[in-house]
Short mmCIF file of all heavy atoms in Angstrom, two decimals:
data_model
loop_
_atom_site.label_atom_id
_atom_site.label_comp_id
_atom_site.label_asym_id
_atom_site.label_seq_id
_atom_site.Cartn_x
_atom_site.Cartn_y
_atom_site.Cartn_z
N GLU A 91 -4.63 16.48 -17.61
CA GLU A 91 -3.96 15.80 -18.72
C GLU A 91 -4.15 14.29 -18.62
O GLU A 91 -3.79 13.66 -17.62
CB GLU A 91 -2.46 16.12 -18.69
CG GLU A 91 -1.67 15.41 -19.78
CD GLU A 91 -0.18 15.59 -19.62
OE1 GLU A 91 0.25 16.20 -18.63
OE2 GLU A 91 0.56 15.08 -20.50
N LEU A 92 -4.73 13.71 -19.66
CA LEU A 92 -4.88 12.25 -19.73
C LEU A 92 -3.52 11.64 -20.05
O LEU A 92 -2.92 11.96 -21.08
CB LEU A 92 -5.90 11.87 -20.80
CG LEU A 92 -6.08 10.37 -21.07
CD1 LEU A 92 -6.63 9.66 -19.84
CD2 LEU A 92 -7.01 10.16 -22.26
N VAL A 93 -3.02 10.77 -19.18
CA VAL A 93 -1.69 10.20 -19.39
C VAL A 93 -1.70 8.69 -19.61
O VAL A 93 -0.72 8.12 -20.05
CB VAL A 93 -0.74 10.54 -18.21
CG1 VAL A 93 -0.46 12.03 -18.16
CG2 VAL A 93 -1.31 10.04 -16.88
N HIS A 94 -2.82 8.06 -19.31
CA HIS A 94 -2.85 6.60 -19.47
C HIS A 94 -4.29 6.09 -19.48
O HIS A 94 -5.14 6.60 -18.74
CB HIS A 94 -2.09 5.91 -18.34
CG HIS A 94 -2.00 4.42 -18.47
ND1 HIS A 94 -1.28 3.79 -19.46
CD2 HIS A 94 -2.55 3.43 -17.72
CE1 HIS A 94 -1.38 2.49 -19.32
NE2 HIS A 94 -2.14 2.24 -18.29
N THR A 95 -4.56 5.11 -20.34
CA THR A 95 -5.85 4.42 -20.35
C THR A 95 -5.59 2.93 -20.24
O THR A 95 -4.78 2.37 -20.97
CB THR A 95 -6.62 4.71 -21.65
OG1 THR A 95 -6.87 6.12 -21.75
CG2 THR A 95 -7.96 3.98 -21.66
N GLU A 96 -6.28 2.31 -19.29
CA GLU A 96 -6.11 0.87 -19.05
C GLU A 96 -7.44 0.18 -19.29
O GLU A 96 -8.45 0.54 -18.69
CB GLU A 96 -5.64 0.63 -17.62
CG GLU A 96 -5.35 -0.82 -17.29
CD GLU A 96 -4.86 -1.00 -15.86
OE1 GLU A 96 -4.71 0.02 -15.15
OE2 GLU A 96 -4.62 -2.14 -15.45
N GLN A 97 -7.44 -0.81 -20.18
CA GLN A 97 -8.66 -1.56 -20.47
C GLN A 97 -8.74 -2.79 -19.58
O GLN A 97 -7.74 -3.43 -19.28
CB GLN A 97 -8.68 -1.99 -21.94
CG GLN A 97 -8.65 -0.83 -22.93
CD GLN A 97 -9.95 -0.03 -22.94
OE1 GLN A 97 -10.97 -0.49 -22.46
NE2 GLN A 97 -9.90 1.17 -23.49
N GLU A 98 -9.95 -3.14 -19.18
CA GLU A 98 -10.22 -4.33 -18.38
C GLU A 98 -9.25 -4.42 -17.20
O GLU A 98 -8.40 -5.29 -17.12
CB GLU A 98 -10.14 -5.59 -19.24
CG GLU A 98 -11.18 -5.60 -20.36
CD GLU A 98 -11.29 -6.94 -21.06
OE1 GLU A 98 -10.93 -7.97 -20.45
OE2 GLU A 98 -11.72 -6.95 -22.21
N VAL A 99 -9.39 -3.49 -16.28
CA VAL A 99 -8.51 -3.40 -15.12
C VAL A 99 -8.55 -4.69 -14.32
O VAL A 99 -9.59 -5.08 -13.78
CB VAL A 99 -8.94 -2.21 -14.23
CG1 VAL A 99 -7.99 -2.08 -13.05
CG2 VAL A 99 -8.97 -0.93 -15.05
N GLY A 100 -7.43 -5.37 -14.25
CA GLY A 100 -7.38 -6.70 -13.65
C GLY A 100 -7.43 -6.73 -12.14
O GLY A 100 -7.87 -7.70 -11.54
N TRP A 101 -6.97 -5.66 -11.48
CA TRP A 101 -6.89 -5.69 -10.01
C TRP A 101 -8.17 -5.25 -9.32
O TRP A 101 -8.25 -5.29 -8.09
CB TRP A 101 -5.71 -4.85 -9.53
CG TRP A 101 -5.65 -3.45 -10.06
CD1 TRP A 101 -5.06 -3.04 -11.23
CD2 TRP A 101 -6.18 -2.27 -9.46
NE1 TRP A 101 -5.20 -1.69 -11.40
CE2 TRP A 101 -5.87 -1.19 -10.32
CE3 TRP A 101 -6.89 -2.01 -8.29
CZ2 TRP A 101 -6.26 0.12 -10.03
CZ3 TRP A 101 -7.26 -0.71 -8.01
CH2 TRP A 101 -6.93 0.34 -8.88
N LEU A 102 -9.17 -4.86 -10.11
CA LEU A 102 -10.46 -4.52 -9.51
C LEU A 102 -11.36 -5.74 -9.53
O LEU A 102 -11.49 -6.41 -10.55
CB LEU A 102 -11.13 -3.40 -10.30
CG LEU A 102 -10.65 -1.98 -10.06
CD1 LEU A 102 -11.38 -1.04 -11.01
CD2 LEU A 102 -10.88 -1.55 -8.63
N GLN A 103 -11.99 -6.02 -8.41
CA GLN A 103 -12.89 -7.17 -8.35
C GLN A 103 -14.30 -6.72 -8.72
O GLN A 103 -15.25 -6.81 -7.94
CB GLN A 103 -12.85 -7.79 -6.95
CG GLN A 103 -11.50 -8.37 -6.61
CD GLN A 103 -11.46 -8.96 -5.21
OE1 GLN A 103 -12.31 -8.71 -4.38
NE2 GLN A 103 -10.45 -9.78 -4.96
N THR A 104 -14.41 -6.20 -9.94
CA THR A 104 -15.69 -5.73 -10.45
C THR A 104 -15.87 -6.28 -11.85
O THR A 104 -15.02 -6.99 -12.37
CB THR A 104 -15.75 -4.19 -10.49
OG1 THR A 104 -14.73 -3.72 -11.40
CG2 THR A 104 -15.51 -3.59 -9.11
N SER A 105 -16.97 -5.91 -12.47
CA SER A 105 -17.20 -6.28 -13.86
C SER A 105 -16.16 -5.57 -14.72
O SER A 105 -15.49 -4.65 -14.26
CB SER A 105 -18.61 -5.89 -14.26
OG SER A 105 -18.82 -4.52 -14.01
N PRO A 106 -15.99 -5.97 -15.99
CA PRO A 106 -14.97 -5.34 -16.85
C PRO A 106 -15.02 -3.82 -16.80
O PRO A 106 -16.07 -3.22 -17.00
CB PRO A 106 -15.33 -5.88 -18.24
CG PRO A 106 -15.96 -7.21 -17.96
CD PRO A 106 -16.74 -7.01 -16.69
N THR A 107 -13.89 -3.22 -16.52
CA THR A 107 -13.83 -1.79 -16.29
C THR A 107 -12.61 -1.19 -16.99
O THR A 107 -11.57 -1.82 -17.08
CB THR A 107 -13.71 -1.51 -14.77
OG1 THR A 107 -14.84 -2.09 -14.11
CG2 THR A 107 -13.67 -0.03 -14.47
N THR A 108 -12.77 0.02 -17.50
CA THR A 108 -11.65 0.76 -18.05
C THR A 108 -11.28 1.87 -17.08
O THR A 108 -12.14 2.42 -16.39
CB THR A 108 -11.99 1.35 -19.44
OG1 THR A 108 -10.85 1.99 -19.97
CG2 THR A 108 -13.12 2.35 -19.36
N ALA A 109 -9.98 2.19 -17.00
CA ALA A 109 -9.51 3.23 -16.09
C ALA A 109 -8.71 4.26 -16.87
O ALA A 109 -7.82 3.91 -17.64
CB ALA A 109 -8.65 2.63 -15.00
N LYS A 110 -9.03 5.53 -16.65
CA LYS A 110 -8.29 6.61 -17.27
C LYS A 110 -7.57 7.41 -16.18
O LYS A 110 -8.19 7.81 -15.19
CB LYS A 110 -9.23 7.53 -18.07
CG LYS A 110 -9.83 6.84 -19.28
CD LYS A 110 -10.66 7.79 -20.13
CE LYS A 110 -11.19 7.08 -21.38
NZ LYS A 110 -11.99 7.99 -22.23
N THR A 111 -6.27 7.59 -16.37
CA THR A 111 -5.44 8.28 -15.39
C THR A 111 -5.18 9.70 -15.86
O THR A 111 -4.70 9.92 -16.97
CB THR A 111 -4.10 7.55 -15.20
OG1 THR A 111 -4.37 6.23 -14.70
CG2 THR A 111 -3.20 8.28 -14.21
N TYR A 112 -5.50 10.67 -15.00
CA TYR A 112 -5.30 12.09 -15.31
C TYR A 112 -4.37 12.72 -14.28
O TYR A 112 -4.51 12.46 -13.08
CB TYR A 112 -6.63 12.85 -15.28
CG TYR A 112 -7.67 12.40 -16.27
CD1 TYR A 112 -8.56 11.39 -15.96
CD2 TYR A 112 -7.77 13.02 -17.52
CE1 TYR A 112 -9.53 10.99 -16.87
CE2 TYR A 112 -8.74 12.62 -18.43
CZ TYR A 112 -9.61 11.61 -18.10
OH TYR A 112 -10.58 11.22 -19.00
N ILE A 203 -6.29 12.14 -10.71
CA ILE A 203 -7.43 11.26 -10.45
C ILE A 203 -7.38 10.07 -11.40
O ILE A 203 -6.74 10.12 -12.46
CB ILE A 203 -8.79 11.98 -10.61
CG1 ILE A 203 -8.97 12.44 -12.06
CG2 ILE A 203 -8.91 13.13 -9.63
CD1 ILE A 203 -10.40 12.83 -12.38
N ARG A 204 -8.07 9.04 -11.00
CA ARG A 204 -8.27 7.89 -11.88
C ARG A 204 -9.77 7.68 -12.00
O ARG A 204 -10.48 7.58 -11.00
CB ARG A 204 -7.57 6.65 -11.31
CG ARG A 204 -7.56 5.47 -12.26
CD ARG A 204 -6.61 4.40 -11.78
NE ARG A 204 -5.25 4.67 -12.23
CZ ARG A 204 -4.20 3.99 -11.83
NH1 ARG A 204 -4.32 3.03 -10.97
NH2 ARG A 204 -3.00 4.27 -12.30
N HIS A 205 -10.24 7.64 -13.24
CA HIS A 205 -11.67 7.51 -13.52
C HIS A 205 -11.95 6.10 -14.02
O HIS A 205 -11.39 5.66 -15.03
CB HIS A 205 -12.07 8.54 -14.59
CG HIS A 205 -13.50 8.47 -15.00
ND1 HIS A 205 -13.94 8.89 -16.24
CD2 HIS A 205 -14.61 8.01 -14.35
CE1 HIS A 205 -15.24 8.69 -16.32
NE2 HIS A 205 -15.66 8.17 -15.20
N PHE A 206 -12.81 5.40 -13.32
CA PHE A 206 -13.18 4.04 -13.68
C PHE A 206 -14.62 4.03 -14.21
O PHE A 206 -15.50 4.66 -13.63
CB PHE A 206 -13.12 3.12 -12.46
CG PHE A 206 -11.75 3.02 -11.84
CD1 PHE A 206 -11.34 3.95 -10.90
CD2 PHE A 206 -10.88 2.00 -12.19
CE1 PHE A 206 -10.09 3.87 -10.32
CE2 PHE A 206 -9.63 1.91 -11.62
CZ PHE A 206 -9.23 2.85 -10.68
N CYS A 207 -14.83 3.32 -15.31
CA CYS A 207 -16.19 3.21 -15.83
C CYS A 207 -16.36 1.86 -16.51
O CYS A 207 -15.39 1.28 -17.01
CB CYS A 207 -16.52 4.35 -16.77
SG CYS A 207 -15.41 4.53 -18.16
N PRO A 208 -17.59 1.34 -16.52
CA PRO A 208 -17.85 0.02 -17.12
C PRO A 208 -17.53 0.01 -18.61
O PRO A 208 -17.72 1.01 -19.30
CB PRO A 208 -19.34 -0.20 -16.87
CG PRO A 208 -19.71 0.78 -15.81
CD PRO A 208 -18.79 1.94 -15.97
N ILE A 209 -17.05 -1.10 -19.07
CA ILE A 209 -16.82 -1.29 -20.50
C ILE A 209 -18.14 -1.73 -21.14
O ILE A 209 -18.80 -2.65 -20.65
CB ILE A 209 -15.75 -2.36 -20.75
CG1 ILE A 209 -14.40 -1.89 -20.21
CG2 ILE A 209 -15.63 -2.69 -22.24
CD1 ILE A 209 -13.30 -2.93 -20.32
N GLU A 210 -18.50 -1.06 -22.20
CA GLU A 210 -19.73 -1.44 -22.90
C GLU A 210 -19.53 -2.77 -23.60
O GLU A 210 -18.50 -3.00 -24.24
CB GLU A 210 -20.13 -0.36 -23.90
CG GLU A 210 -20.57 0.93 -23.24
CD GLU A 210 -21.14 1.92 -24.23
OE1 GLU A 210 -21.11 1.60 -25.43
OE2 GLU A 210 -21.61 2.98 -23.80
N LYS A 220 -20.00 -0.09 -12.34
CA LYS A 220 -20.19 1.19 -11.67
C LYS A 220 -19.11 2.17 -12.12
O LYS A 220 -17.97 1.81 -12.33
CB LYS A 220 -20.11 1.01 -10.15
CG LYS A 220 -21.25 0.19 -9.56
CD LYS A 220 -21.11 0.12 -8.05
CE LYS A 220 -22.26 -0.67 -7.43
NZ LYS A 220 -22.13 -0.76 -5.95
N PHE A 222 -16.81 5.34 -11.05
CA PHE A 222 -16.33 5.96 -9.82
C PHE A 222 -14.95 6.58 -10.05
O PHE A 222 -14.31 6.35 -11.09
CB PHE A 222 -16.29 4.96 -8.65
CG PHE A 222 -15.43 3.75 -8.91
CD1 PHE A 222 -14.11 3.69 -8.49
CD2 PHE A 222 -15.96 2.63 -9.55
CE1 PHE A 222 -13.33 2.56 -8.71
CE2 PHE A 222 -15.20 1.50 -9.79
CZ PHE A 222 -13.87 1.46 -9.36
N PHE A 224 -11.05 7.71 -8.12
CA PHE A 224 -10.09 7.72 -7.02
C PHE A 224 -9.30 9.03 -7.14
O PHE A 224 -8.95 9.45 -8.26
CB PHE A 224 -9.10 6.56 -7.10
CG PHE A 224 -9.67 5.22 -6.76
CD1 PHE A 224 -9.01 4.06 -7.15
CD2 PHE A 224 -10.84 5.08 -6.02
CE1 PHE A 224 -9.51 2.80 -6.84
CE2 PHE A 224 -11.36 3.83 -5.71
CZ PHE A 224 -10.68 2.69 -6.11
N TYR A 226 -5.72 11.04 -5.97
CA TYR A 226 -4.36 10.72 -5.53
C TYR A 226 -3.65 11.99 -5.08
O TYR A 226 -3.65 13.00 -5.80
CB TYR A 226 -3.58 10.06 -6.67
CG TYR A 226 -4.07 8.67 -7.01
CD1 TYR A 226 -5.21 8.49 -7.79
CD2 TYR A 226 -3.43 7.54 -6.53
CE1 TYR A 226 -5.69 7.22 -8.10
CE2 TYR A 226 -3.89 6.26 -6.83
CZ TYR A 226 -5.02 6.12 -7.61
OH TYR A 226 -5.48 4.86 -7.91
N ASP A 264 5.20 -3.73 -6.88
CA ASP A 264 4.08 -3.76 -7.83
C ASP A 264 3.09 -2.63 -7.61
O ASP A 264 2.62 -2.00 -8.55
CB ASP A 264 3.35 -5.10 -7.75
CG ASP A 264 4.19 -6.26 -8.25
OD1 ASP A 264 5.18 -6.01 -8.95
OD2 ASP A 264 3.85 -7.42 -7.93
N LYS A 265 2.74 -2.37 -6.34
CA LYS A 265 1.71 -1.40 -6.06
C LYS A 265 2.17 0.03 -6.32
O LYS A 265 1.35 0.91 -6.57
CB LYS A 265 1.21 -1.55 -4.61
CG LYS A 265 0.61 -2.92 -4.33
CD LYS A 265 -0.59 -3.20 -5.22
CE LYS A 265 -1.05 -4.64 -5.15
NZ LYS A 265 -1.26 -5.17 -3.84
N VAL A 266 3.48 0.28 -6.25
CA VAL A 266 4.01 1.59 -6.63
C VAL A 266 4.03 1.70 -8.15
O VAL A 266 3.63 2.72 -8.73
CB VAL A 266 5.40 1.83 -6.03
CG1 VAL A 266 5.99 3.14 -6.55
CG2 VAL A 266 5.33 1.86 -4.51
N ALA A 267 4.48 0.64 -8.82
CA ALA A 267 4.51 0.63 -10.28
C ALA A 267 3.12 0.81 -10.86
O ALA A 267 2.93 1.47 -11.90
CB ALA A 267 5.14 -0.67 -10.78
N MET A 268 2.12 0.26 -10.19
CA MET A 268 0.73 0.36 -10.65
C MET A 268 0.26 1.82 -10.67
O MET A 268 -0.61 2.19 -11.45
CB MET A 268 -0.16 -0.46 -9.70
CG MET A 268 -1.60 -0.56 -10.09
SD MET A 268 -2.52 -1.48 -8.82
CE MET A 268 -1.71 -3.07 -8.89
N HIS A 269 0.86 2.63 -9.81
CA HIS A 269 0.49 4.05 -9.70
C HIS A 269 1.68 4.94 -10.08
O HIS A 269 1.87 6.01 -9.50
CB HIS A 269 0.02 4.35 -8.28
CG HIS A 269 -1.05 3.44 -7.78
ND1 HIS A 269 -2.35 3.50 -8.24
CD2 HIS A 269 -1.04 2.43 -6.88
CE1 HIS A 269 -3.08 2.57 -7.64
NE2 HIS A 269 -2.31 1.91 -6.82
N SER A 270 2.45 4.48 -11.05
CA SER A 270 3.73 5.13 -11.37
C SER A 270 3.59 6.58 -11.82
O SER A 270 4.44 7.42 -11.50
CB SER A 270 4.47 4.33 -12.45
OG SER A 270 3.71 4.27 -13.65
N HIS A 271 2.52 6.92 -12.55
CA HIS A 271 2.36 8.31 -12.99
C HIS A 271 2.24 9.26 -11.80
O HIS A 271 2.81 10.35 -11.79
CB HIS A 271 1.11 8.45 -13.88
CG HIS A 271 1.24 7.76 -15.19
ND1 HIS A 271 0.76 6.49 -15.42
CD2 HIS A 271 1.81 8.15 -16.36
CE1 HIS A 271 1.01 6.14 -16.66
NE2 HIS A 271 1.64 7.12 -17.25
N PHE A 272 1.55 8.81 -10.76
CA PHE A 272 1.39 9.64 -9.57
C PHE A 272 2.66 9.66 -8.73
O PHE A 272 3.04 10.69 -8.18
CB PHE A 272 0.20 9.14 -8.74
CG PHE A 272 -1.09 9.12 -9.50
CD1 PHE A 272 -1.81 7.95 -9.67
CD2 PHE A 272 -1.61 10.29 -10.06
CE1 PHE A 272 -3.01 7.93 -10.37
CE2 PHE A 272 -2.81 10.28 -10.77
CZ PHE A 272 -3.50 9.10 -10.92
#
Side-chain angles (χ1 to χ4, degrees):
E91 178 188 4
L92 175 64
V93 293
H94 183 68
T95 299
E96 183 179 358
Q97 299 290 343
E98 298 191 24
V99 182
W101 51 273
L102 281 176
Q103 296 179 344
T104 62
S105 55
T107 302
T108 183
K110 293 185 177 181
T111 299
Y112 298 88
I203 63 165
R204 188 168 275 172
H205 178 206
F206 299 86
C207 56
I209 295 175
E210 292 188 356
K220 293 182 179 180
F222 58 95
F224 287 161
Y226 291 79
D264 292 343
K265 299 299 170 51
V266 174
M268 185 183 298
H269 308 288
S270 61
H271 292 96
F272 302 121

